[in-house]
Amino acid sequence: MTFEIIMIVSLCLLTLSILANIYRVVKGPSSADRIQALDAIGINLIAGIAVFSVLLHTHAFFDLILLIGILSFVGTVAFARFTERGMVIKQKDEG
Amino acid sequence: MKPNDVILQSVTKVTVIIIFTFSVYLFLNGHHHPGGGFIGGLSTAAAIILLFLAFDIEKVRENFQIDFKKLAALGVLIAIGTGFTGMLAGDPFLTQYFNDKNLPIFGKTELATALIFDTGVALAVIGTAVSIILSISEGDSLWKR
């Protein structure tokens, strides 16, 4: 019983962290702030899924953790390339 | 100044191997656990898109040599073809057969024709996702106007 209370409290803290990141996404002056806040939201989602799968006594969501990590990495790299070079995929290496 | 992508390219060379392995794991896991053809194909497509991001299109194209539109068509043909093999034996369309075989390394394994159907689904998903990304990224001069 105490264990479940600890898990629920940690989920509430993760929710507060995601809300703080959402404030940065909405308010952030530059687009780099928004990209970094979205990446941090992805990491918080991973932690939330881990706590939920402990709480529900299942290991069915463990694949999802790695999948969200991969997709968050690819998305962040694509956004960073877009803000820095202006295009996501270049046609030919200029060098 | 010539842009420098050393860190991104080195990280990609390690990460892509992990993502391909994970997608094969998801693909083979789909019969008894979460996973399957669709999500396996999507994570493979994510790895290929990461390759396109880190390197350029022509370098990946000359190392892959795959026409992704033909890959999507081949996947749909495989998925439909497994349905018609059930009809040849007199059973309804898309009947699934399974059998326990003793494989040399894995021991007793349940082999099912649903795996071939899943292969078709995965190939169709890979071909569709990567060809969508490629056709979006090729409109460069149209984007700048």
Side-chain angles (χ1 to χ4, degrees), chain A residues 81 85 88-90 92-93, chain B residues 3 5 25 53 56-57:
Chain A
R81 284 198 72 99
R85 307 274 163 76
V88 178
I89 300 176
K90 59 187 175 203
K92 192 177 187 303
D93 209 351
Chain B
D5 283 342
Y25 161 74
L53 285 174
D56 49 322
I57 289 181

Side-chain angles (χ1 to χ4, degrees), chain A residues 8-51:
Chain A
I8 289 172
V9 166
S10 67
L11 276 179
C12 294
L13 290 178
L14 282 171
T15 312
L16 283 181
S17 165
I18 288 180
L19 283 178
N21 276 314
I22 285 176
Y23 173 75
R24 184 44 67 195
V25 169
V26 173
K27 194 77 175 174
S30 69
S31 63
D33 290 329
R34 296 190 170 98
I35 292 166
Q36 207 165 17
L38 283 172
D39 200 20
I41 284 178
I43 293 169
N44 281 321
L45 278 179
I46 290 173
I49 287 170
V51 175

Side-chain angles (χ1 to χ4, degrees), chain B residues 10 32 40 44 46 54 58 64 67 69 78 91 95-96 119 123 131 134-135 145:
Chain B
S10 320
H32 298 288
T44 311
E58 290 193 358
F64 256 41
D67 192 354
K69 299 184 194 71
I78 288 174
D91 290 324
T95 307
Q96 177 200 342
T119 311
L123 289 183
S131 55
L134 280 182
S135 57
R145 260 186 295 170

Side-chain angles (χ1 to χ4, degrees), chain A residues 85, chain B residues 2-13 54-55:
Chain A
R85 307 274 163 76
Chain B
K2 184 171 171 289
N4 195 350
D5 283 342
V6 177
I7 294 178
L8 179 59
Q9 289 179 357
S10 320
V11 168
T12 301
K13 280 174 196 167
F55 303 95

